[in-house]
Amino acid sequence: MEKPTLAITVPCFNEELCVESTVKSLFEVINDLIKKDKIKDNSFVYLIDDGSKDRTWELICKMHEENPLVKGLKFVRNYGNQKAHIAGLLGVRDLGCDCCVSIDADLQQDQWAIEKFVDEYMNGADIVSGIRNSRDTDTFWKKTTAICFYKIMNLLGVKIPMNHSDYRLVSRRALNILAEYPEKQIFLRGFFNEIGLKTAIVHFDVKPRKAGESKFNYMTLLGLALNGITSFSIMPLRLIAVLGFLMALFSIGLGVEVIYEKLILDNTPSGWATIVVLLSFFGGLQLFCMGIIGEYLGQVYREVKARPRYIKDIELK
């Protein structure tokens, strides 16, 4: 296989404190791979400014003027990390690359693992998933919720390797398949594990963040999880149907028991506390089920409107 043109996409949101050092570090990796004759010398970095309010775009423009291999895209507003990743992948596809690596702007993911990604690509893999070795840098709560996230996703049929983030390499073939999907709310971790192309895994270490703060909070991660589940699995809807059937059986049994006590034993059941507890329980259960159904309706609503995933403001090619 001929050595590839590699593109590295980096979503950025208020990253003025680290974007320059990040680009410098990534070009160290690129230049090292060029010297080892593993990639072409026209390999480049593509930065996506996801509606930053600081000097992030100004710094991207400055780096582009100094080095044309620093390319970029600016959104008119903040659309979220997943949309920025998609824009980066489709953007480098249009610019022309053989494979693309997505990495976070804080470079907590080990950028030197990119060489292993490229090696797996040269061995024939269309998708190379980055799997972190441990979660030692996470808090106990974040570590616990992350483990629950992956277990629940796999339980519901969204097959994602444990501790896989959006650090991955994808081939041009995979990018072409992504371009054929019109969905507005694609969950990339599920998408690339679903399409069936040859996949490999690379393990990497996670470093402490050098500057700035993480843009992910628990509400953001919860939204990502809900999007992943409703995008790739209807299992919750089936569980609701099964639960509804079981509750119907329970209600019939309870009704038979009440009639028996009234007509046969002539003993009208007391226990108002029990009734109140049951009503509260089933009322809460109904609201929970309606909430799940509402999430799916929301997904349908967003897709039916067919609005663009994002709106570009400026692109540096």
Side-chain angles (χ1 to χ4, degrees):
M1 182 185 293
E2 183 182 0
K3 62 183 179 182
T5 295
L6 172 68
I8 302 178
T9 63
V10 187
C12 303
F13 178 61
N14 294 339
E15 300 289 357
E16 66 176 0
L17 296 178
C18 66
V19 66
E20 289 181 296
S21 61
T22 292
V23 171
K24 180 181 178 182
S25 297
L26 291 176
F27 271 105
E28 289 176 359
V29 175
I30 288 175
N31 292 332
D32 180 66
L33 291 175
I34 292 173
K35 289 178 182 177
K36 292 179 179 178
D37 201 34
K38 291 190 174 184
I39 61 174
K40 293 181 180 178
D41 58 8
N42 62 343
S43 297
F44 59 94
V45 174
Y46 190 82
L47 301 133
I48 307 94
D49 182 0
D50 186 19
S52 297
K53 302 299 183 183
D54 60 6
R55 297 176 58 244
T56 298
W57 181 248
E58 178 184 336
L59 295 173
I60 292 173
C61 292
K62 174 188 171 186
M63 290 185 287
H64 175 70
E65 291 176 359
E66 296 171 353
N67 181 1
L69 292 176
V70 178
K71 306 177 188 298
L73 169 66
K74 185 178 188 300
F75 288 166
V76 296
R77 65 170 178 84
N78 178 254
Y79 286 94
N81 182 264
Q82 284 289 287
K83 302 290 181 64
H85 272 297
I86 295 171
L89 294 171
L90 297 179
V92 297
R93 171 183 176 269
D94 294 338
L95 289 173
C97 69
D98 299 305
C99 58
C100 166
V101 171
S102 301
I103 192 169
D104 291 342
D106 54 20
L107 284 193
Q108 284 190 277
Q109 300 146 329
D110 181 15
Q111 71 271 22
W112 292 102
I114 291 176
E115 181 175 357
K116 298 178 183 178
F117 283 73
V118 174
D119 290 341
E120 292 292 347
Y121 167 79
M122 294 301 291
N123 288 332
D126 284 296
I127 299 167
V128 185
S129 300
I131 308 294
R132 59 191 297 173
N133 287 320
S134 70
R135 289 190 167 270
D136 294 339
T137 57
D138 290 346
T139 63
F140 172 79
W141 176 248
K142 187 173 182 180
K143 185 186 302 184
T144 303
T145 53
I147 292 172
C148 291
F149 167 77
Y150 288 106
K151 288 187 177 297
I152 291 173
M153 294 292 278
N154 280 275
L155 184 65
L156 295 178
V158 186
K159 302 303 181 183
I160 305 174
M162 181 69 75
N163 292 329
H164 170 49
S165 62
D166 284 312
Y167 187 26
R168 72 175 68 83
L169 177 146
V170 293
S171 67
R172 185 167 185 84
R173 182 184 180 192
L175 292 176
N176 289 336
I177 294 174
L178 174 63
E180 294 179 6
Y181 275 62
E183 298 172 33
K184 309 304 178 185
Q185 301 291 326
I186 291 181
F187 180 60
L188 291 175
R189 299 183 203 183
F191 169 79
F192 284 117
N193 283 281
E194 182 194 59
I195 56 178
L197 298 180
K198 183 178 180 181
T199 303
I201 288 176
V202 166
H203 290 86
F204 67 93
D205 293 319
V206 175
K207 303 171 290 185
R209 188 181 176 97
K210 291 183 178 180
E213 297 179 353
S214 174
K215 308 307 182 298
F216 280 96
N217 54 43
Y218 293 115
M219 291 304 297
T220 304
L221 294 174
L222 177 61
L224 183 65
L226 288 174
N227 181 49
I229 292 170
T230 54
S231 295
F232 282 92
S233 175
I234 61 169
M235 186 61 69
L237 294 177
R238 290 177 176 171
L239 290 176
I240 289 174
V242 172
L243 187 60
F245 177 73
L246 294 176
M247 290 302 102
L249 291 180
F250 176 78
S251 299
I252 292 172
L254 186 61
V256 170
E257 192 270 340
V258 170
I259 293 173
Y260 175 79
E261 291 198 17
K262 175 67 176 177
L263 299 181
I264 306 300
L265 303 180
D266 194 25
N267 178 27
T268 302
S270 56
W272 290 104
T274 303
I275 294 175
V276 170
V277 170
L278 287 174
L279 286 175
S280 299
F281 172 74
F282 289 118
L285 187 62
Q286 286 177 333
L287 289 174
F288 174 72
C289 293
M290 288 176 63
I292 293 177
I293 296 171
E295 284 292 326
Y296 281 92
L297 288 176
Q299 281 279 43
V300 174
Y301 175 67
R302 285 191 290 265
E303 294 296 334
V304 167
K305 287 190 295 185
R307 293 178 179 176
R309 293 190 182 112
Y310 45 79
I311 299 175
K312 298 179 181 180
D313 188 7
I314 306 171
E315 187 168 14
L316 305 174
K317 298 182 179 182

